[in-house]
Every structure is written in C-alpha cells, then in structure tokens.
C-alpha cells in the first residue's frame, strides 16, 4: 500500500558530497517522522538522522555537522545531504518513515541505496 524509494547513492571520493532522496508513495494521509539509517557489512543498522513533520531534527554524533536531513512535506520526500564524506561512511543507506494511510499506521522502509566512499 505504501512504498519508499531511495535514490542518489553512488561512488564518491573522500571529501566529496552526495544527496540522497527518499520518496514515499501510496494512499498517504500524513507522515510523522522520517529518518535515514545505514548499514555497513558486518555491522548493525544505525540511525543517522531524523526529522519530524514540523522540521525538528536529530543527528548521530558521527555525522552531525556533515550530514543534513530535510524534507518536502508537500511531495512526501526526505533528503540527506552528505558533505565531507569519509571512507567509513561507506554503507547501504535506508530511508524510514512513520506514516498514516486512511486506516492505519505504517513503519515503512525503503530498499536502500549504496554509498561508497573511496580514499
């Protein structure tokens, strides 16, 4: 019923930038919280940043000051601007959204987008 699709991943050199996008689709009435996570091989999935419908943000310490989360409520889209990327940022990046359709709430995930940072 609902779908999250990420885009914008790729290969970048250390110090470079990428901008990830996440579009939510379906019979959506409201999106509460949106967030970005990542998972590197052999590691657990970790929360990077969240943003509420009102625009309040929170960041993981390791990305604060380098990553910026934002959203376009009118288009059910979230973004993650990543600057000064480091090789340790290499991972699959996932979008997450807590959203409501006509009759229920969903905790929805995207399929992930690969980010690779070369040294």
């Amino acid at each position: 019923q609902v779908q999250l699709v990420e885009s914008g991943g790729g290969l970048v050199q250390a110090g470079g930038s990428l901008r990830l996008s996440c579009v939510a689709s379906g019979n959506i009435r409201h999106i509460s919280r949106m967030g970005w996570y990542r998972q590197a091989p052999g590691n657990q999935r970790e929360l990077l940043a969240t943003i509420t419908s009102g625009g309040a943000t929170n960041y993981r310490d390791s990305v604060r000051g380098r990553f910026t989360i934002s959203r376009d409520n009118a288009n059910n889209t979230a973004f993650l601007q990543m600057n000064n990327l480091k090789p340790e940022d290499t991972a699959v990046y996932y979008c997450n959204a807590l959203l409501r359709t006509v009759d229920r709430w969903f905790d929805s995930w995207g399929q992930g987008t690969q980010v690779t940072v070369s040294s």
Side-chain angles (χ1 to χ4, degrees), residues 5-10 19-23 36 78 80 93 111-113:
V5 178
E6 302 104 331
S7 61
R19 188 188 194 216
L20 305 184
S21 300
C22 169
V23 180
W36 287 95
L80 186 68
Y93 285 66
Q111 82 290 349
T113 185

Side-chain angles (χ1 to χ4, degrees), residues 97-116:
L98 180 62
L99 56 87
R100 179 171 57 84
T101 61
V102 173
D103 56 353
R104 59 171 292 187
W105 284 88
F106 288 84
D107 187 9
S108 186
W109 292 87
Q111 82 290 349
T113 185
Q114 176 70 45
V115 171
T116 303

